[in-house]
Amino acid sequence: MTDPTTPSTTSATRRRFLALSGGAVLGAGAMVSLRPAVATPQMQNAAIRDVVGTATVRPGKVKLDVPPLVENGNTVPLTVSVASPMTADDHVVSIHVFNEKNPQPNVGNFYLGVRAGRAQVSTRIRLADTQRITAIAKLSDGSFWSTTADVVVTLAACVEEAS
Amino acid sequence: MPALINVPAKAQRGDVVEIKALMSHIMETGFRHTPSGEAVPRDIITNFVCRYNGVEVFRADFFPAISANPFISFFTTATDSGTFEFQWVGDKGFLETASATIAVE
């Protein structure tokens, strides 16, 4: 993977999306007016820049465990782990998770310390659409590392009406 | 108790232990509408902190993309017997705390 802020894979993603969703795309188009504003990969990139500033984000070290296909976007289990010795000299400071297509690009920020012992965090998240998740880890030396994972969502979160 | 906490009761000094915490909360995203078209106001937990004998060992910022009844699991090194204190802060003045003890040999 390249720097996640580089939109070089946009067209490939779009092609895959079209292939996956097939005829459902027309129906989805008709629903758009009912939906809240949807985050775009540009919004995700802006949110990532808010965290990393001008630093370079390199691929590697981070592992993102998320099911490749989920039926219900309301509770998607997610685990982020980082290859790190977690010593005073070399440890993970924080882990940040972003999404492309929820109404808001941020998912969560998790702050660890030397005493964490292991750089791993699990939670459950909502996904409004089939999309790519990005996890970024900040290390104690100031470097940033990232990985991405694609998730296909069959029943989206956020779009149902409140009762 | 709206919180569900899982901390090992005992550990050897230096062990890395897993902490699990679940808080019962609707986590209303603020992006939903009622059938009549009114926006449902956001009501989420925004911050979570875990302190171990008073020292912060883990902290998180939550966004609407965190599922209802937010669950979080993380790790910490067992250093001394004592207390884990958990705190959740959110919209509309939401504040909940919980605690658990650990015996370190």
Side-chain angles (χ1 to χ4, degrees):
Chain A
M1 271 309 300
T2 53
D3 181 334
T5 57
T6 312
S8 61
T9 56
T10 305
S11 59
T13 307
R14 180 176 156 77
R15 272 196 300 278
R16 187 160 50 213
F17 173 70
L18 291 174
L20 282 169
S21 49
V25 168
L26 286 175
M31 280 170 60
V32 161
S33 61
L34 298 174
R35 290 194 180 189
V38 170
T40 61
Q42 289 72 32
M43 280 170 68
Q44 185 194 33
N45 291 346
I48 289 172
R49 280 294 151 211
D50 278 351
V51 168
V52 305
T54 55
T56 311
V57 181
R58 280 175 280 178
K61 288 187 192 268
V62 185
K63 186 162 167 261
L64 184 51
D65 275 324
V66 61
L69 186 144
V70 295
E71 211 159 89
N72 186 343
N74 278 307
T75 50
V76 182
L78 172 136
T79 297
V80 184
S81 48
V82 188
S84 164
M86 295 305 280
T87 59
D89 296 335
D90 182 4
H91 60 270
V92 176
V93 174
S94 58
I95 293 171
H96 308 267
V97 181
F98 303 92
N99 72 83
E100 281 181 331
K101 291 183 186 166
N102 280 7
Q104 198 185 352
N106 299 82
V107 174
N109 300 324
F110 309 100
Y111 302 89
L112 291 68
V114 187
R115 285 179 59 173
R118 186 185 303 174
Q120 181 177 323
V121 174
S122 302
T123 186
R124 296 180 192 134
I125 69 167
R126 290 183 171 123
L127 292 175
D129 207 341
T130 293
Q131 56 182 304
R132 176 167 291 178
I133 314 294
T134 300
I136 295 183
K138 180 182 184 181
L139 269 50
S140 52
D141 64 3
S143 63
F144 289 92
W145 300 81
S146 81
T147 192
T148 59
D150 291 304
V151 184
V152 174
V153 180
T154 49
L155 175 63
C158 302
V159 293
E160 79 276 32
E161 286 181 342
S163 50
Chain B
M1 255 322 249
L4 210 60
I5 303 291
N6 190 327
V7 173
K10 273 197 241 174
Q12 299 288 321
R13 194 177 305 274
D15 278 359
V16 174
V17 295
E18 183 174 18
I19 314 284
K20 296 177 191 170
L22 187 141
M23 170 55 65
S24 124
H25 192 286
I26 182 171
M27 292 296 277
E28 182 62 53
T29 61
F31 297 109
R32 298 197 309 156
H33 291 79
T34 61
S36 57
E38 290 162 64
V40 181
R42 192 183 91 157
D43 183 10
I44 67 165
I45 293 173
T46 51
N47 294 90
F48 168 76
V49 177
C50 172
R51 294 187 186 89
Y52 182 9
N53 286 340
V55 178
E56 180 185 303
V57 290
F58 182 83
R59 180 162 56 91
D61 303 330
F62 289 162
F63 293 89
I66 299 290
S67 298
N69 305 321
F71 165 79
I72 188 99
S73 125
F74 54 94
F75 292 83
T76 194
T77 307
T79 50
D80 289 295
S81 297
T83 309
F84 285 96
E85 287 169 322
F86 305 88
Q87 186 183 68
W88 292 260
V89 176
D91 294 336
K92 301 184 178 176
F94 184 90
L95 174 67
E96 285 284 351
T97 57
S99 65
T101 56
I102 186 168
V104 176
E105 294 159 358

